[in-house]
Amino acid sequence: MTAVESDSGVLAGEQRMLIDGELVGAAGGAVFDVEHPASEEVAGQCADGTVEDMARAVSAARRAFDAGEWSRDVQFRFHCLMQLHDALDRHKEHLRRVLVTEVGCPVTVTGSQIEDPISEVKHWAEYGRDFDYLVDTGLHNTALGPARRKLHHEPVGVVGAITPWNVPFYLNIAETVPALMAGNTVVLKPAQLTPWSGSELGRIVAEETDIPAGVFNVVTSNANEVGAALSADPGVDMITFTGSTATGRAILAAGASTVKKTLLELGGKSAHIVLDDADFNSSLPLAAMMACVMSGQSCILPSRILLPRSRYDEGLAVLKASMENFPMGDPWTPGNMQGPQISATQRQKVLGLIESGLASGARLVTGGGVPESLPVGYYVQPTLLADVDPDSTIAQEEIFGPVLTVTPYDGDDEAIAIANNTIYGLSGEVSSADVDRAFAVATRMRTGNVTINGKSHFGIDSPFGGTKQSGLGYRNGTQGYQEYLHIKTIGMPE
Ligand code: ADP
């Protein structure tokens, strides 16, 4: 629960971008509308940045990296990021209202989207302050006699951070704060649908921290070409991106000509293998909740449920009951756990995929459309589809809606084969009464991360990365910090 009490707390966010230390409008002054998905009303505007604005931001970040002290002064970075942490903490109720306004996520479930990322700012500040940037690996034999080698961990340079709309404040922090603490300078390009979680961060950095001009920039825009300009700019050394696999491919291609380091966290189509000895009454209600709680707009959601044929009907009944009773509605009303989809386009995409599932022979167990009681706002009923063909579109494409597909299997080997039958490899889940058996299955899933019996793999202190077409590199953990560092090996006399 949170402190927001009003029935509707709609609040417009900061309109201006942060470029080279100044809060500014777009070159030419254009703005674009930001919608509240629960009311379908325009809540306010944000600067519609241009490719010229992006070029200015990149050159400011370049100058701040090449000529400033930021990359060399870890104590100063610690000081600045602790200031940022304290300022975000002071403004968290404001940030929460702006977040719910632009995303439409229920206020009840914003702890992981506001409190958690704010505490992660402190985590990275302390982690970076204590990090061992110089490691002496001792003497190494060479043809010319022994050489001492030291590993000097240095920031990569200018980092372009491109973020999506599903958990925007969290991802803005997750993509930029470890990069900043490691000594990089940053240009953040938030998603079109959720620019304010980025522009608010820019305003707070400008007004309430000593972060020097150019070190952190935010360019909002309604045009994909502005993100594309960032990912192609020769002044950028690294791109960190969270979003769709299609956009990830475009970003990789755009960075190829200047060989940019690229950290990608992309789409998923994760499977939940429910073994035949699992306690359905604990694992399946949780699976239903995970599908609904962010309206299914989560890349790590295990959206494909694999049930043993011997207990198929029993499993479907538990899932159906859990989805039909899910508290959905106005995101400002405490207690509601599912809000609308973020936009009309996204809702249409979800409904279209449900239709395609039915056309390919899936059986509708519950949901499937727009709830009659919620005609305004982009709501979709929690939806359960059974008998889903593992090769069908609904089993292969990321839905990003409150939809679970269920496929029966015979034996653990078949379950694993179905789970692995996807181009994605982000996450997954196994449920079983026998943890060793579940662990053995988890190790055979070709995916980046696995949860067993609801015990989450995801956290700031553990590496998180996708395999196959779900990503490159890691966030979180030691590996997540080191992504923003280059290791320079220095050979020297004894
Ligand atoms: P969606 O399709 O759900 O909007 P995307 O993965 O396309 O999700 O968008 C995530 C982020 O990528 C957004 O900030 C968007 O502006 C940005 N983006 C979209 N296309 C490109 C591109 N070609 N190059 C760089 N960034 C892009």
Side-chain angles (χ1 to χ4, degrees):
M1 278 310 151
T2 72
V4 177
E5 283 163 7
S6 64
D7 276 352
S8 173
V10 171
L11 183 65
E14 172 61 53
Q15 275 206 23
R16 294 166 298 174
M17 310 184 286
L18 174 60
I19 299 179
D20 203 5
E22 302 286 328
L23 294 168
V24 293
V31 294
F32 66 102
D33 290 340
V34 182
E35 204 181 0
H36 180 41
S39 66
E40 305 183 22
E41 285 168 342
V42 173
Q45 283 80 31
C46 199
D48 194 3
T50 63
V51 289
E52 291 77 34
D53 291 316
M54 183 55 83
R56 249 173 12 94
V58 172
S59 52
R62 188 76 262 164
R63 189 205 65 235
F65 184 80
D66 292 340
E69 282 303 304
W70 182 257
S71 64
R72 289 184 284 276
D73 191 343
V74 70
Q75 285 307 328
F76 179 58
R77 300 201 297 266
F78 174 73
H79 157 80
C80 290
L81 289 178
M82 288 307 291
Q83 281 182 320
L84 178 61
H85 167 268
D86 295 349
L88 293 172
D89 199 47
R90 279 194 297 278
H91 295 296
K92 71 180 174 198
E93 295 315 324
H94 173 91
L95 292 166
R96 192 190 319 277
R97 285 179 59 189
V98 170
L99 177 82
V100 176
T101 298
E102 63 181 2
V103 178
C105 57
V107 72
T108 295
V109 296
T110 49
S112 61
Q113 296 197 53
I114 295 289
E115 274 82 355
D116 288 2
I118 292 174
S119 71
E120 290 186 6
V121 178
K122 185 160 182 267
H123 168 92
W124 288 123
E126 289 171 346
Y127 187 91
R129 176 198 57 192
D130 299 339
F131 189 83
D132 211 353
Y133 294 92
L134 186 60
V135 178
D136 187 341
T137 65
L139 295 181
H140 299 251
N141 288 327
T142 78
L144 300 177
R148 179 173 299 284
R149 291 194 185 135
K150 290 186 178 176
L151 309 183
H152 192 229
H153 294 69
E154 302 176 355
V156 176
V158 174
V159 173
I162 303 175
T163 53
W165 45 260
N166 60 338
V167 275
F169 183 73
Y170 167 75
L171 283 166
N172 289 341
I173 296 289
E175 289 200 12
T176 64
V177 170
L180 287 168
M181 191 57 211
N184 303 279
T185 60
V186 170
V187 178
L188 169 65
K189 212 300 286 172
Q192 289 86 323
L193 294 171
T194 54
W196 289 331
S197 291
S199 58
E200 287 285 336
L201 192 56
R203 179 182 62 80
I204 290 170
V205 164
E207 293 180 344
E208 302 195 34
T209 77
D210 296 329
I211 293 176
V215 166
F216 182 69
N217 307 270
V218 182
V219 179
T220 53
S221 175
N222 199 25
N224 280 343
E225 63 177 359
V226 174
L230 178 62
S231 62
D233 196 306
V236 173
D237 298 292
M238 173 175 176
I239 293 285
T240 172
F241 170 74
T242 304
S244 63
T245 294
T247 303
R249 290 187 197 112
I251 286 172
L252 260 185
S257 63
T258 50
V259 194
K260 287 189 206 326
K261 182 167 184 179
T262 310
L263 173 52
L264 300 174
E265 199 248 277
L266 306 176
K269 190 69 189 174
S270 302
H272 180 169
I273 300 179
V274 183
L275 294 176
D276 54 12
D277 60 355
D279 175 2
F280 283 13
N281 289 321
S282 70
S283 59
L284 296 181
L286 194 60
M289 186 183 95
M290 296 306 286
C292 300
V293 89
M294 289 169 63
S295 307
Q297 299 173 148
S298 159
C299 52
I300 60 174
L301 174 69
S303 58
R304 292 185 294 143
I305 307 284
L306 309 186
L307 286 179
R309 200 178 300 276
S310 57
R311 298 180 65 191
Y312 191 56
D313 291 341
E314 178 193 348
L316 286 176
V318 178
L319 286 169
K320 177 175 189 284
S322 309
M323 292 186 102
E324 286 178 345
N325 292 320
F326 204 77
M328 81 180 298
D330 184 4
W332 302 102
T333 304
N336 277 341
M337 302 268 282
Q338 182 188 335
Q341 309 310 119
I342 196 153
S343 68
T345 306
Q346 279 299 316
R347 177 167 69 177
Q348 205 41 52
K349 186 182 155 218
V350 173
L351 294 174
L353 279 166
I354 294 171
E355 293 243 316
S356 96
L358 296 174
S360 67
R363 170 164 56 99
L364 185 64
V365 180
T366 188
V370 174
E372 270 176 29
S373 58
L374 294 164
V376 176
Y378 304 120
Y379 295 92
V380 173
Q381 291 172 314
T383 298
L384 186 63
L385 294 170
D387 311 343
V388 171
D389 176 347
D391 291 320
S392 63
T393 303
I394 190 101
Q396 291 292 326
E397 276 191 22
E398 192 169 31
I399 305 172
F400 246 53
V403 181
L404 289 177
T405 67
V406 187
T407 301
Y409 69 84
D410 295 298
D412 295 7
D413 288 349
E414 191 189 10
I416 293 163
I418 297 171
N420 291 343
N421 175 32
T422 164
I423 62 165
Y424 297 110
L426 193 55
S427 161
E429 186 158 356
V430 186
S431 294
S432 172
D434 178 346
V435 175
D436 290 340
R437 182 180 167 205
F439 190 87
V441 169
T443 61
R444 294 176 60 197
M445 293 169 81
R446 281 203 64 215
T447 193
N449 315 272
V450 180
T451 284
I452 293 178
N453 290 350
K455 300 294 181 189
S456 175
H457 60 74
F458 190 79
I460 184 84
D461 52 3
S462 305
F464 170 76
T467 57
K468 300 200 273 186
Q469 296 188 34
S470 285
L472 279 180
Y474 298 91
R475 296 200 193 289
N476 293 342
T478 298
Q479 293 82 351
Y481 193 68
Q482 295 211 23
E483 293 283 2
Y484 297 104
L485 292 166
H486 172 75
I487 302 175
K488 180 185 283 172
T489 301
I490 302 179
M492 56 202 292
E494 302 179 41

